[in-house]
């Protein structure tokens, strides 16, 4: 018995496999609904949105912490230029400034803007790193 190979090849060429997306999308939506329903969401407390770590007792003797920024050009403390304290693209910042003040780092401009606590002297807020 002779087998017609050409007829078989034509049948394979005409047979285009198709993927039905409807059941796939149904399963994805079912999983999405399940995840949303079973997840728990909490509203952030306004007092806890400062982005600063909790104040804890200092375990080390360091009073200043070094903040390195690539290409650091300017440092201002309460509007006063303190760029003379920059060494090796870094500045040393007092721990009280980190805990009670505000530090804004703009790496693209090479700028650090520091707001020290009201009762702290500007020259004590930063120093040259050692």
């Amino acid at each position: 018995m002779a087998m017609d190979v050409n007829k078989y090849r034509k049948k394979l060429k005409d047979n285009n496999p198709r993927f039905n997306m409807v059941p796939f999308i149904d399963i994805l939506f079912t999983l999405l609904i399940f995840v949303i329903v079973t997840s728990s969401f909490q509203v952030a407390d306004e007092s806890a949105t400062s982005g600063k770590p909790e104040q804890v007792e200092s375990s080390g003797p360091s009073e200043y912490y070094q903040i390195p920024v690539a290409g650091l050009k300017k440092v201002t403390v309460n509007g006063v230029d303190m760029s003379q304290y920059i060494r090796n693209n870094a500045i040393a910042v007092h721990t009280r400034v980190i805990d009670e003040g505000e530090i804004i780092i703009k790496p693209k401009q090479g700028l650090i803007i520091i707001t020290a606590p009201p009762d702290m002297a500007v020259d004590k807020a930063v120093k040259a790193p050692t």
Side-chain angles (χ1 to χ4, degrees), residues 51-62:
K52 296 180 183 175
E54 295 292 323
Q55 292 183 359
V56 294
E57 292 295 321
S58 178
S59 61
S62 180

Side-chain angles (χ1 to χ4, degrees), residues 17-104:
R18 297 188 183 182
F19 182 67
N20 190 359
M21 292 292 290
V22 175
F24 179 71
I25 293 171
D26 288 344
I27 290 171
L28 282 179
F29 279 128
T30 304
L31 289 173
L32 179 67
I33 291 169
F34 175 77
V35 168
I36 290 173
V37 169
T38 58
S39 297
S40 63
F41 299 99
Q42 297 176 354
V43 177
D45 186 16
E46 284 296 320
S47 63
T49 60
S50 67
K52 296 180 183 175
E54 295 292 323
Q55 292 183 359
V56 294
E57 292 295 321
S58 178
S59 61
S62 180
E63 195 173 350
Y64 288 87
Y65 287 100
Q66 186 172 336
I67 299 179
V69 175
L72 183 60
K73 297 175 196 135
K74 187 173 182 181
V75 175
T76 60
V77 178
N78 294 344
V80 178
D81 187 15
M82 303 298 277
S83 299
Q84 71 267 20
Y85 293 119
I86 297 173
R87 302 285 184 274
N88 297 326
N89 293 323
I91 190 86
V93 180
H94 197 278
T95 55
R96 272 196 62 214
V97 173
I98 295 171
D99 291 339
E100 301 170 17
E102 181 180 17
I103 301 172
I104 300 171

